[in-house]
Amino acid sequence: MEIGRLNHVAIATPDIAASSKIYKDILGAKVSAPVPQPDHGVVTVFVELPNTKIELLEPLGENSPILSFLSKNPKGGIHHVCYEVEDIEAACAQMKAKGATITGDGRPKIGAHGKPVIFLHPKDFGGTLIELEQV
Ligand code: CO
């Protein structure tokens, strides 16, 4: 496999309304309405750019996967980058074969966009959490 396009950059924020306003009013971007995603423990807003998307993430619920990130980065910050792959099973097998750590149970899951994803642990990728999404 080889990685494809940058699908999105995800930015965690303690205040998604304030972050949406920054992208809309200051940067002039097209910004979606907030969507609660209880299965993923986040509220998402998509910022549409000509060549990619920015995904704003606010924690939802007590077990939100972004709470520990926000406790270390209280003002928010870049949480992960997402690259597209053609075949998530092949990507998963290749990442394991190359010694990368896949988070959770190591199997693809349905991500916040309804497509299969895996997350690669930042310790193997220069401190960046990487999401691979099958498109
Ligand atoms: Co993502």
Side-chain angles (χ1 to χ4, degrees), residues 2-10 47-55 78 80-85 113 128-133 135:
E2 72 183 304
I3 59 165
R5 288 157 45 98
L6 173 67
N7 185 275
H8 61 272
V9 175
V47 180
E48 292 286 342
L49 304 180
N51 63 338
T52 190
K53 297 182 283 266
I54 304 296
E55 179 183 67
I78 295 178
H80 66 266
V81 294
C82 177
Y83 303 117
E84 298 179 355
V85 296
H113 313 136
T128 304
L129 177 62
I130 292 180
E131 179 178 25
L132 298 179
E133 181 176 280
V135 292

Side-chain angles (χ1 to χ4, degrees), residues 41-88:
V42 290
V43 178
T44 54
V45 160
F46 283 100
V47 180
E48 292 286 342
L49 304 180
N51 63 338
T52 190
K53 297 182 283 266
I54 304 296
E55 179 183 67
L56 302 175
L57 302 172
E58 183 185 68
L60 178 64
E62 282 168 24
N63 299 316
S64 172
I66 63 170
L67 280 175
S68 69
F69 178 89
L70 281 173
S71 72
K72 288 174 235 154
N73 305 275
K75 293 184 172 174
I78 295 178
H79 183 261
H80 66 266
V81 294
C82 177
Y83 303 117
E84 298 179 355
V85 296
E86 279 181 14
D87 180 340
I88 199 72

